[in-house]
Amino acid sequence: MLEKGFTAKQRQTRYELKMAALVQTVHGVVVTRTLSLAYPATFVSRHIPQNQMISSHNRQFLFALPQRLSQGVCQDLSNVSWTYRTKREVLCKAGAVPLMKQGHQFLSSLSSPALAGDPPATNRLIKKFVAASPKSVALNVLSHLLSDNTSHPHLSYFAPQLYLEITEASWFDWNPKLIGELVSLLNKQERFVESETLLSTAVSRLESNERDFALFLCNLVESNSKQGSIQGFSDACSRLREIIQRSSSVYVKTQAYKSMVSGLCNMDQPLDAERVIEEMRMETIKPGLFEYKSVLYGYGRLGLFDDMNRIVHRMETQGHKIDTVCSNMVLSSYGAHDALPQMGSWLQKLKGYNVPLSIRTYNSVLNSCPTIISLLKDLDSCPLSLSELLPILNEDEALLVRELTQSLVLDEAIEWNAVEGKLDLHGMHLSASYLIMLQWMDETRLRFSEDKKCVVPAEIVVVSGSGKHSNVRGESPVKAMVKKIMVRTKSPMRIDRKNVGSFIAKGKNVKEWLCK
């Protein structure tokens, strides 16, 4: 990877290393591995769903290779079919770094079939984008492509090339966290020579400062674990253990142990992570809530509920309070394995802990209810009130809904005063938004009809979360659901012309609608 501050000879040396990595990757795909129509072997991993087709970027293995090499490789690739993504698919996944609108446009252009097999055109597009974009936009796109759950895995191959172009910008500042994420992505793509070259540069810049170097390695451990790179993770852990052995800083050791625990859990090795916690105790370093939560969730994701509950009990005996984040991890684990009875028991148990529920609780629980998910596939016939919904649900799902509706989550989502009564659905998934909408109609009706002193807001607003401030393009399922409910119930609320993500009406009209 080329960066500022290197001589021409150093740049040439690093360029040759990059060429070697690309040659190795191309030959690894073409010669020693079998290519399927949609799944080039280099990119098949546990992080790429088997039904997700990879786009034409694999032709870009040829990028920057000498012409004599690319001509030879093209013959080997001539029988490979390539699949393209449409513009509609350029959307953010939950958890990925959200893209700015300029970033959407750039990645849509980069996905164009017209660029397939045309490295110079791709290079020009990247150069033009960096030159024309402010720092925030360029780094936003790079961070999105480096994310382990990016919605553009078919474009992640170009992240190093984008970074290379960014290093030439006048505003560029060397960032060790960014380097760690880039190294991890290269490891995932099996571009180990490029990865090692970039890592060596970072080590030479940071190793004189123990704390900065340790934090860099901590980030490297976690980034490799999220990308699922076994080799990169193992190497980073080895380097971090060397720091632990020679350091006298409690802070450095604590951060190093935390990263290894988190990384091992990301790699589905919670038992090894638990052993690291025991190692911390032997080093007289007290494990914190973060470490226990990591191990708890590590066991939970794997469906090892006995071990998960053992860690919950251990946390309590160690004086760590069960909080909302911890409880949501437990609920998410149960939901991922369709353990609805255990989920209901846990929600009831939370009352004893006095743990408040959250929007994320709603999301985790309701996304695990098959009847609700099925009902929402047909918005023309789904129930329009809680009294209609509950009898349709099975016993386990009905219990979950009742437990959720007894919480304060709805109250926290509502603002109510003389000027405005607002329901904000931001952060809620479709199933959660649906239940909250049913609750909201009941609650608003109750306020209007039973409390004579209740103020009638001048306006009532429902914010669907897909309007003028949204970074995500395309029709919002939540907005479509809210719109359908408004139409079917003959609500006076209409889409706000000032913000298409909101529904608005005069308070008195809403009162007449709900209390008729």
Side-chain angles (χ1 to χ4, degrees), residues 448 456-460 492 505-514:
F448 283 144
V456 178
E459 289 184 335
I460 300 290
K506 292 182 178 180
K508 63 178 183 179
N509 293 340
V510 173
K511 182 177 180 179
E512 291 175 2
W513 163 55
L514 291 174

Side-chain angles (χ1 to χ4, degrees), residues 143-164:
S143 296
H144 180 78
L145 293 180
L146 292 175
S147 174
D148 60 294
N149 55 2
T150 175
S151 57
H152 304 83
H154 61 303
L155 297 179
S156 291
Y157 186 82
F158 297 116
Q161 186 180 344
L162 177 60
Y163 172 77
L164 180 65

Side-chain angles (χ1 to χ4, degrees), residues 232-265:
F233 176 73
S234 178
D235 291 346
C237 282
S238 296
R239 292 175 184 266
L240 203 51
R241 282 200 172 277
E242 292 176 4
I243 293 277
I244 292 174
Q245 291 172 1
R246 68 171 182 257
S247 177
S248 59
S249 168
V250 174
Y251 173 81
V252 166
K253 290 186 175 184
T254 301
Q255 297 305 311
Y257 278 126
K258 286 175 65 174
S259 295
M260 284 195 292
V261 168
S262 176
L264 285 166
C265 292

Side-chain angles (χ1 to χ4, degrees), residues 366-470:
L366 296 171
N367 285 345
S368 305
C369 293
T371 304
I372 293 178
I373 298 301
S374 178
L375 288 171
L376 289 173
K377 292 179 181 178
D378 185 3
L379 296 176
D380 288 318
S381 61
C382 63
L384 296 178
S385 68
L386 280 172
S387 60
E388 294 177 13
L389 174 65
L390 285 170
I392 299 175
L393 304 178
N394 62 42
E395 183 179 349
D396 292 328
E397 291 176 290
L399 172 62
L400 293 174
V401 169
R402 282 194 292 267
E403 291 296 329
L404 291 178
T405 55
Q406 291 172 12
S407 72
L408 298 176
V409 173
L410 175 64
D411 292 340
E412 294 169 355
I414 293 178
E415 293 180 21
W416 194 275
N417 54 57
V419 176
E420 183 181 66
K422 181 168 71 173
L423 172 66
D424 193 344
L425 301 178
H426 275 104
M428 300 181 195
H429 296 176
L430 181 61
S431 55
S433 298
Y434 170 65
L435 182 58
I436 286 289
M437 279 296 298
L438 301 188
Q439 286 185 256
W440 173 78
M441 287 191 290
D442 284 350
E443 171 64 21
T444 307
R445 181 183 296 110
L446 188 65
R447 292 189 183 195
F448 283 144
S449 61
E450 292 190 357
D451 190 349
K452 296 181 180 180
K453 295 182 180 179
C454 176
V455 62
V456 178
E459 289 184 335
I460 300 290
V461 180
V462 174
V463 182
S464 72
S466 179
K468 63 183 180 181
H469 299 299
S470 177

Side-chain angles (χ1 to χ4, degrees), residues 87-153:
K87 184 178 290 188
R88 286 182 178 274
E89 293 174 288
V90 185
L91 298 174
C92 290
K93 285 183 179 179
V97 177
L99 276 172
M100 298 178 181
K101 291 182 179 179
Q102 299 98 314
H104 278 295
Q105 294 169 356
F106 167 66
L107 293 182
S108 179
S109 299
L110 198 59
S111 300
S112 171
L115 292 181
D118 192 351
T122 301
N123 189 33
R124 288 194 297 272
L125 177 64
I126 293 174
K127 284 179 175 291
K128 182 179 178 181
F129 168 71
V130 174
S133 301
K135 177 179 180 179
S136 59
V137 173
L139 292 179
N140 171 251
V141 171
L142 179 60
S143 296
H144 180 78
L145 293 180
L146 292 175
S147 174
D148 60 294
N149 55 2
T150 175
S151 57
H152 304 83

Side-chain angles (χ1 to χ4, degrees), residues 88 91 464 466 470 472-483 495 500 503:
R88 286 182 178 274
L91 298 174
S464 72
S466 179
S470 177
V472 179
R473 292 182 171 184
E475 183 66 23
S476 162
V478 172
K479 178 182 174 182
M481 181 271 297
V482 174
K483 182 178 180 180
I495 294 176
V500 296
F503 294 80

